Amino acid sequence: MSEGHRAVGQVKEVTSLSNPLVKDIRALALKKFRDQQNAFLAEGLKLVIDALDLGWTIRTLVFAKSGRGNAAVEKVAARTVAAGGLVLEVSEKVLSAITRRDNPQMVVGVFSQRYVPLKDIRPSGQDVWVALDRVRDPGNLGTVIRTADAVGAKGVILVGETTDPFSIETVRATMGSIFAVPVARANAEAFLQWRKGFAGLVAGTHLKGAVDYRAIDYAGRPVLLLMGNEQQGLPDTLAEACDRLVRIPQAGRADSLNLAVATGVMLFEVRRKALELGPENTA
Ligand SMILES: C[S@@+](CC[C@H](N)C(=O)[O-])C[C@H]1O[C@@H](n2cnc3c(N)ncnc32)[C@H](O)[C@@H]1O
């Protein structure tokens, strides 16, 4: 660290994979330890800066030796120290082991996990929320979170047993949107109970949906978009809780769309009018 930055003297140098701090961070590859530590990893300088700007709590900043002297890295290190976090300067070998990649990013952050409680979600106006039933694939979940961010949706609700939004694969697929999009989780019973108080349109997507998804006017009310599990689609209990079941027409031989693709198609339709008005009117 160069003179003039507050992280001076507070950076630990670590080169050994058996260092206990490194062991704890490497353990975050497993959900069990992410849950135990209530933490997760995010890779890349831009992501870490975005996360700090959005008020996420950084516990540890890890950077490669090659980042020494880099002004942006030093600044983020100083912010980490100011926030009460730890800063580790590590060898390439340690960084590769943490990220399980041959060419890791120069910077990795360990952050506290954050879920929004379902009871605190009270959609109003033209809010759009996405609910995913038992989503299994981290790439799908990350892509949905990223797409929800892109259209200005308010957040994503995970229903039932789902893949972990804080796994490294999901976080990678969100491309940073994990820090911008609130995520809630609930079992199906709690979700159905909460849905009873949802004063808006609950649109479920279903291969047997009775309505073409473009035939509905989504504007002027809150919308909850409900998407089914990759293998099984929506179970009857969730399908019956929808105001409308919509279908995206398909040609060709594919029997369905990929979950994240279907969510993208739906979100751009649901948000079409708001996006036509321009970003300043899309809140
Ligand atoms: C891969 S599909 C599920 C396919 C599953 N075999 C089924 O029978 O529903 C995952 C989810 O994406 C949505 N989806 C995919 N293609 C769709 C379409 N053409 N119309 C409406 N929703 C679709 C639905 O929410 C579906 O549950």
Side-chain angles (χ1 to χ4, degrees), residues 31-283:
K31 182 168 179 353
K32 177 180 160 192
F33 294 108
R34 284 195 297 276
D35 288 349
Q36 263 175 23
Q37 298 183 38
N38 189 36
F40 70 105
L41 287 177
E43 302 157 282
L45 184 59
K46 183 183 176 301
L47 246 71
V48 170
I49 293 171
D50 285 353
L52 291 173
D53 288 347
L54 287 166
W56 285 67
T57 305
I58 188 159
R59 297 193 187 169
T60 307
L61 179 80
V62 185
F63 72 88
K65 270 197 175 72
S66 57
R68 194 188 285 182
N70 176 314
V73 173
E74 292 195 352
K75 200 168 168 198
V76 110
R79 289 181 74 180
T80 302
V81 170
L86 193 67
V87 181
L88 304 181
E89 182 185 301
V90 302
S91 58
E92 288 282 337
K93 182 184 71 178
V94 170
L95 206 54
S96 288
I98 286 173
T99 57
R100 298 174 172 219
R101 283 199 159 182
D102 286 341
N103 292 307
Q105 301 254 14
M106 199 202 295
V107 167
V108 170
V110 179
F111 290 89
S112 300
Q113 295 186 15
R114 193 190 279 179
Y115 286 98
V116 55
L118 191 62
K119 65 176 175 44
D120 291 351
I121 302 175
R122 296 186 200 89
S124 62
Q126 308 219 38
D127 290 358
V128 176
W129 282 81
V130 181
L132 299 176
D133 159 42
R134 297 165 299 152
V135 54
R136 307 301 307 169
D137 182 81
N140 278 343
L141 175 54
T143 305
V144 168
I145 291 173
R146 180 180 178 184
T147 311
D149 187 11
V151 301
K154 292 293 172 190
V156 173
I157 301 169
L158 305 177
V159 182
E161 281 290 313
T162 70
T163 193
D164 184 359
F166 296 110
S167 71
I168 200 152
E169 297 83 5
T170 309
V171 172
R172 264 178 204 153
T174 72
M175 296 294 287
S177 293
I178 188 71
F179 296 113
V181 175
V183 175
R185 58 182 168 175
N187 61 32
E189 293 71 36
F191 172 76
L192 287 168
Q193 192 58 35
W194 173 85
R195 182 265 173 272
K196 288 182 189 160
F198 180 87
L201 174 74
V202 180
T205 52
H206 204 291
L207 300 185
K208 296 191 184 119
V211 198
D212 183 311
Y213 76 110
R214 294 161 296 188
I216 292 176
D217 185 4
Y218 300 96
R221 52 186 163 169
V223 175
L224 175 67
L225 184 60
L226 184 49
M227 307 297 301
N229 164 269
E230 289 99 329
Q231 277 78 42
Q232 293 153 18
L234 284 178
D236 291 347
T237 43
L238 292 180
E240 283 158 13
C242 295
D243 297 311
R244 309 297 293 266
L245 284 180
V246 303
R247 165 181 44 81
I248 304 168
Q250 295 181 202
R253 291 180 53 82
D255 56 14
S256 66
L257 292 167
N258 161 274
L259 166 65
V261 170
T263 310
V265 169
M266 286 302 302
L267 278 174
F268 275 89
E269 180 63 15
V270 170
R271 295 282 292 156
R272 184 163 53 87
K273 286 194 178 150
L275 292 168
E276 275 167 9
L277 291 172
E280 67 278 14
N281 295 314
T282 60

